Amino acid sequence: MNGPQLNELPDDSEHLAPFVSCLRGRAVLAGGLSGVRTFSNGFLLKFLRARDFDVELALKLLLNYQTWRKESPEISKCLSPSSVLGLLNTSYHAVLQQRDHTGSRVLIYRIGQWSPKDWSAFQVFQVSLMTSEIISTETETQRHGLKVIFDLKGWSLSHALQFSPFLARKISSVLSDSFPLKVRGIHLLNEPMFFHPVFTMIRPFLSEKIRQRIHMHGTDFQDSLGDFFSPPVLPPEYGGEGPGIEEACQDWTNKLFQSEMILQQIASHPTGDIAITPEDLLISEGAETAQISER
């Protein structure tokens, strides 16, 4: 079986066991992970699926993930939706309910909803990392990856000044080689003049594969965006027929709050391996529902 075929198999398939066992053995013996005795099957499968079951590449990705977490504690150790409640309540970010025709998750970021005087770029990045940790537990997302829409309407000089080469390197490393998710496409809408210097700063740190998956749509984006996403997927504000963007943002904000306990466990764990399953997320949702309604 090749990688794409293995990707479609269930977690408990006997065909996956040798790959999981091999990656576990290599990871435990790898330098930089001293004191780690083992990894859970579910955790290792995230990295294997992200690299189509190439054990060598999955090991590199796993080690990069661990290195990134250690070198970026100001972000990786702060995965609390409560700490960025004000930002989330601006309808800044959504993960759409419906996947696209390839099975990819679709994420939207509305830059104009982010006020740099209230929220730093690090806090904005924390929101992205929380979402990434949650959707990376989804088997379908492990298989088919994600696509991101950045609506840059409202981007200003104050946004641009939030970014430094240091932060650009951290962001690009997550996009390219430090997180167990396949980035299938990045779509930029309403790109203003002030955005291009930041993109020029980030671009050199991106892999060639990611660069080829970046699409700039400008202000007249509805027709060209429709070439990539069918109408039922997108909100009406983006030329689609799905739920409105405000509803989509609120739904995902609720999801993040429902997952707060799990996110904090990931943040505090030495390797981030807490063996999350879809069932765990459902349990977490039930436990947090009362708190959500109070907010």
Side-chain angles (χ1 to χ4, degrees), residues 51 60-61 64 168-169 171-179 181-186 199 201-214:
R51 292 296 180 263
K60 180 180 178 181
L61 180 62
N64 286 348
R169 190 178 303 111
I171 293 173
S172 59
S173 67
V174 170
L175 287 173
S176 296
D177 60 5
S178 296
F179 206 90
L181 283 170
K182 300 172 181 175
V183 179
R184 298 300 198 189
I186 298 174
F199 182 69
M201 189 188 308
I202 294 175
R203 195 175 189 278
F205 300 117
L206 299 174
S207 67
E208 184 59 31
K209 181 181 290 186
I210 295 296
R211 292 180 199 174
Q212 292 175 358
R213 293 175 178 175
I214 295 174

Side-chain angles (χ1 to χ4, degrees), residues 222-247:
Q222 293 199 359
D223 287 342
S224 59
L225 199 60
D227 293 337
F228 296 89
F229 303 97
S230 62
V233 176
L234 296 175
E237 294 87 345
Y238 295 95
E241 301 169 355
I245 188 62
E246 297 286 338
E247 178 184 343

Side-chain angles (χ1 to χ4, degrees), residues 154-170:
W155 177 278
S156 65
L157 181 59
S158 61
H159 290 98
L161 292 175
Q162 285 277 332
F163 288 83
S164 65
F166 175 74
L167 182 59
R169 190 178 303 111
K170 288 183 180 293

